[in-house]
Amino acid sequence: VFLYEAAAQQTGRTNLADIRRGGYETLQARLNDDPAMQPDFGPSTVGKAGAVVVGARGPLVAYNAYLNTADVSVARAIARAVRASSGGLPYLKAIGLLVDGRAQVSMNVINFRETSLVTITEAVRAEAAKHGVTVTETELVGLVPQAALLDAALDYLGLPRSTRTLILEQRIGQATHDYREIIFE
């Protein structure tokens, strides 16, 4: 059993990718050769089931940007430029993929409060422009914290965080415990 992110008990265990590097096929060799790879719990031998990795972290936002090209090398170059591991934006993991004939920058936002969706989108757009392409659309995969979207709206509009107290549905919800969207039709 390996612990990672906020659950990590050893330095160098915060990034899940570092633990998973090489996959099941290389795990036993890594356990034999690297003292830093000893598990937090259990034996240092790999059975047929492999290993367990347990972590604790805030919510991850899966966010993708589609480009107006099918050239996956462009998406890979953009991903390399914006991701934290290559010196790009902190708390961002990114890879370039080809999805349904379109190049996609597929991203995991590890901490949306430190690196906002607006910051990420603008960085991807700027890198795309360097390659002569544009971002045609973005998408969220799975659930997203409301705060991530609200922060993005406030950042984009240049509004202070205190603007949150002015959101109609939030104020009504605080009084009535009903936070449904108000439809004005």
Side-chain angles (χ1 to χ4, degrees), residues 70-88:
D71 187 350
V72 72
S73 69
V74 172
R76 289 180 179 144
I78 294 168
R80 191 170 30 262
V82 300
R83 67 181 170 229
S85 67
S86 301

Side-chain angles (χ1 to χ4, degrees), residues 2-20 40 53-57 91 93 110:
F2 297 90
L3 302 177
Y4 78 101
E5 295 253 353
Q9 295 182 354
Q10 299 181 40
T11 56
R13 290 267 173 96
T14 56
N15 188 352
L16 177 60
D18 292 338
I19 298 168
R20 296 176 63 192
D40 292 289
V53 183
V54 178
R57 60 168 172 73
Y91 306 105
K93 296 180 179 186
I110 306 304

Side-chain angles (χ1 to χ4, degrees), residues 103-122:
Q104 178 197 83
V105 181
S106 177
M107 298 168 282
N108 285 337
V109 185
I110 306 304
N111 186 335
F112 69 86
R113 288 184 174 91
E114 294 295 326
T115 305
S116 75
L117 295 178
V118 169
T119 299
I120 293 164
T121 304
E122 292 306 316

Side-chain angles (χ1 to χ4, degrees), residues 160-174:
R161 293 289 188 250
S162 61
T163 303
R164 288 172 175 269
T165 64
L166 303 176
I167 297 173
L168 180 62
E169 288 87 349
Q170 289 294 317
R171 292 288 282 274
I172 291 172
Q174 289 168 353

Side-chain angles (χ1 to χ4, degrees), residues 13-174:
R13 290 267 173 96
T14 56
N15 188 352
L16 177 60
D18 292 338
I19 298 168
R20 296 176 63 192
R21 186 162 288 115
Y24 173 82
E25 295 77 16
T26 67
L27 182 57
Q28 187 62 62
R30 290 179 70 204
L31 288 169
N32 294 340
D33 299 341
D34 185 357
M37 269 303 293
Q38 294 309 299
D40 292 289
F41 301 101
S44 294
T45 56
V46 181
K48 291 181 182 179
V52 174
V53 183
V54 178
R57 60 168 172 73
L60 178 142
V61 177
Y63 183 58
N64 300 327
Y66 287 93
L67 308 173
N68 67 338
T69 182
D71 187 350
V72 72
S73 69
V74 172
R76 289 180 179 144
I78 294 168
R80 191 170 30 262
V82 300
R83 67 181 170 229
S85 67
S86 301
L89 298 171
Y91 306 105
L92 182 66
K93 296 180 179 186
I95 60 172
L97 304 169
L98 187 63
V99 177
D100 296 329
R102 296 189 294 169
Q104 178 197 83
V105 181
S106 177
M107 298 168 282
N108 285 337
V109 185
I110 306 304
N111 186 335
F112 69 86
R113 288 184 174 91
E114 294 295 326
T115 305
S116 75
L117 295 178
V118 169
T119 299
I120 293 164
T121 304
E122 292 306 316
V124 170
R125 285 181 176 150
E127 288 299 321
K130 291 178 185 178
H131 294 275
V133 302
T134 61
V135 174
T136 58
E137 66 180 301
T138 61
E139 72 177 345
L140 292 164
V141 179
L143 300 176
V144 62
Q146 176 178 295
L149 297 178
L150 186 53
D151 287 352
L154 296 177
D155 287 349
Y156 182 78
L157 296 173
L159 294 168
R161 293 289 188 250
S162 61
T163 303
R164 288 172 175 269
T165 64
L166 303 176
I167 297 173
L168 180 62
E169 288 87 349
Q170 289 294 317
R171 292 288 282 274
I172 291 172
Q174 289 168 353

